[in-house]
Amino acid sequence: MAEFTVLATAEEVAEAAAAEIADALRGGARSLVLAGGTTPKRCYELLSELDVEWGRVAVLFGDERCVPPDHPDSNYRMAKETLLDRVMPATIYRIPAELGPEEGADEYAEVVANVAPLDFVLLGVGEDGHIGSLFPGHPALHADGLTIGIHDSPKPPPERVTITLDAIRDAGLVMILATGKGKADAVAMARRGESPSGMIASARWLIDRAAAGQ
Ligand code: 6PG
């Protein structure tokens, strides 16, 4: 069963997430899959200040928008500015989504296959309950393999590359962050086992009171 920890504020969620990621990396996790969106930004900044042997860590991404890596919408760019420019991981495997959904997904599938099973996967959640770029009711939820290209994301931009539910479920630890009242419906759905984010039975959720509906 997914486990939900409710903290008072978004700042406390970021602090707890950064501390747990650092603990996992100190405890032997060698691959860290980063989330996109805006929620994890503060967590990444705090994580960059913690004591971690980054030289033993491979960094991957859960999803990417089909834009160049220096584009304002790039998930890689967000992680680079908040974390990766400040630490020195052994390897950074960004998703080459600028190649387009199919080619980007095919190339990244090889990367994930070489690293899998993933040790630590961090995810955000959308207001509709999506994780990565896996949206409610989308055929990609049933995809075989480790990655899939998306052409019709309801959240812009429409073209994306994402790891699959299978790749996420196979991971050693999956942490999902949700903050703010806009995420309260998504959290409620996940608690009922509904929506993509409710389909990860082993997920550890860190949420603030607003996202918990309190
Ligand atoms: C993306 C994502 C996506 C994101 C959620 C939450 O590329 O858009 O990786 O799954 O994590 O939509 O986004 P926010 O943190 O911005 O609310």
Side-chain angles (χ1 to χ4, degrees):
M1 270 301 280
E3 181 195 316
F4 292 79
T5 298
V6 182
L7 298 165
T9 63
E11 181 67 11
E12 285 179 33
V13 168
E15 282 168 14
E20 288 193 27
I21 294 168
D23 272 351
L25 296 175
R26 283 187 213 112
R30 291 284 167 266
S31 50
L32 171 64
V33 179
L34 297 178
T38 54
T39 308
K41 278 188 184 177
R42 183 68 183 138
C43 163
Y44 295 167
E45 288 170 356
L46 295 169
L47 178 59
S48 75
E49 290 162 12
L50 299 181
D51 187 24
V52 168
E53 266 192 78
W54 285 101
R56 300 164 74 153
V57 179
V59 170
L60 295 88
F61 288 81
D63 77 323
E64 186 57 276
R65 296 99 179 253
C66 292
V67 295
D70 57 353
H71 191 280
D73 287 344
S74 164
N75 283 334
Y76 166 74
R77 177 180 154 136
M78 184 278 283
K80 182 174 181 302
E81 290 175 354
T82 52
L83 173 66
L84 302 173
D85 278 346
R86 308 175 191 191
V87 299
M88 287 271 269
T91 327
I92 299 170
Y93 296 107
R94 73 170 186 87
I95 302 179
E98 70 279 11
L99 300 175
E102 266 66 53
E103 206 178 327
D106 285 352
E107 287 210 4
Y108 210 60
E110 285 178 35
V111 170
V112 179
N114 282 330
V115 176
L118 303 164
D119 290 327
F120 195 113
V121 175
L122 182 72
L123 295 166
V125 63
E127 294 181 7
D128 60 357
H130 74 260
I131 44 173
S133 292
L134 296 165
F135 292 87
H138 197 284
L141 292 172
H142 309 289
D144 294 325
L146 297 169
T147 64
I148 181 133
I150 304 290
H151 290 264
D152 52 359
S153 161
K155 178 180 179 181
E159 295 197 324
R160 290 154 173 264
V161 173
T162 184
I163 59 171
T164 58
L165 281 181
D166 278 356
I168 297 169
R169 287 182 175 134
D170 225 28
L173 218 153
V174 180
M175 174 177 284
I176 305 180
L177 306 182
T179 59
K181 65 177 189 312
K183 302 293 170 72
D185 287 348
V187 168
M189 282 191 283
R191 284 188 192 273
R192 298 193 298 265
E194 297 167 7
S195 85
S197 68
M199 296 165 86
I200 311 296
S202 62
R204 161 150 177 69
W205 287 72
L206 287 183
I207 65 179
D208 66 359
R209 279 193 198 133
Q214 294 171 13

